[in-house]
Amino acid sequence: MFRIGVGNDIHRLEAGRPLIIGGVSIESNLGADGHSDADVLLHAITDAILGALALGDIGTHFPPSDPKWRDAESKVFLEKASDLAKQQGYSIVNLDSTIALERPKLRPYIDEIRTNIANLLELDINCVSVKAKTGEGVDAVGNNSAIRADSVVLLSVTANGG
Ligand code: MG
């Protein structure tokens, strides 16, 4: 049996914040604002996994009102979602993602981001797709005032039946 999930996230870009995408530090004069480390890609993937399991969303499991998650590394959220999938007898088949960011260009970072996510989820890198595009100068992404990520994840029942 398969289950599919979709996730997206958006964060404001502000000076004086780090820009972390997929657990990788990006050189940029603007960073993502947020309660945790504001890793928009890991948040979208976490939501996609939780969505596939019909287990709510990242805010359900990690409320931003809880000071425990202030400046938290977002890999904690992703690993928790991955654990929940395993507990329910599912493993991730593959995931696909798109990051929308006006600048800097993310191409030099893409393989490091994919490797990091593959390691966090114990997947082959060929099962982790990360694409990047700009906002073509329009809307919040195009104005360089926000970063957005979208992700789709496919789960299947593990071979041992979970
Ligand atoms: Mg977020």
Side-chain angles (χ1 to χ4, degrees), residues 9-11 40 43:
D9 196 26
I10 189 164
H11 282 258
V40 71
H43 292 182

Side-chain angles (χ1 to χ4, degrees), residues 1-42:
M1 176 177 173
F2 294 99
R3 301 188 68 125
I4 194 166
V6 64
N8 72 57
D9 196 26
I10 189 164
H11 282 258
R12 270 194 304 271
L13 291 175
E14 290 183 358
R17 287 278 304 179
L19 184 59
I20 315 255
I21 303 176
V24 174
S25 231
I26 310 293
E27 214 170 295
S28 169
N29 57 342
L30 299 178
D33 186 40
H35 190 71
S36 64
D37 68 3
D39 189 325
V40 71
L41 179 57
L42 294 194

Side-chain angles (χ1 to χ4, degrees), residues 49 53 78-88 90 122:
I49 296 170
L53 297 166
L78 185 66
E79 285 170 340
K80 170 73 181 204
S82 171
D83 285 347
L84 287 169
K86 279 183 207 156
Q87 281 167 25
Q88 302 227 347
Y90 287 94
E122 300 169 310

Side-chain angles (χ1 to χ4, degrees), residues 9-145:
D9 196 26
I10 189 164
H11 282 258
R12 270 194 304 271
L13 291 175
E14 290 183 358
R17 287 278 304 179
L19 184 59
I20 315 255
I21 303 176
V24 174
S25 231
I26 310 293
E27 214 170 295
S28 169
N29 57 342
L30 299 178
D33 186 40
H35 190 71
S36 64
D37 68 3
D39 189 325
V40 71
L41 179 57
L42 294 194
H43 292 182
I45 296 171
T46 300
D47 254 0
I49 296 170
L50 293 173
L53 297 166
L55 285 177
D57 60 29
I58 194 168
T60 316
H61 294 268
F62 309 99
S65 55
D66 188 337
K68 185 160 70 168
W69 308 119
R70 173 163 291 285
D71 297 325
E73 276 191 277
S74 294
K75 71 176 186 180
V76 172
F77 309 151
L78 185 66
E79 285 170 340
K80 170 73 181 204
S82 171
D83 285 347
L84 287 169
K86 279 183 207 156
Q87 281 167 25
Q88 302 227 347
Y90 287 94
S91 57
I92 296 170
V93 177
N94 75 304
L95 67 90
D96 185 18
S97 310
T98 303
I99 307 158
L101 177 68
E102 200 64 6
R103 58 183 174 267
K105 293 284 187 227
L106 294 178
R107 185 172 299 272
Y109 298 97
I110 291 291
D111 281 345
E112 189 180 350
I113 291 170
R114 291 174 65 213
T115 300
N116 195 44
I117 293 167
N119 288 340
L120 287 172
L121 293 174
E122 300 169 310
L123 291 173
D124 191 286
I125 190 167
N126 293 326
C127 301
V128 177
S129 165
V130 176
K131 309 184 301 296
K133 62 197 302 180
T134 71
E136 292 290 337
V138 293
D139 290 337
V141 170
N143 294 336
N144 211 30
S145 58

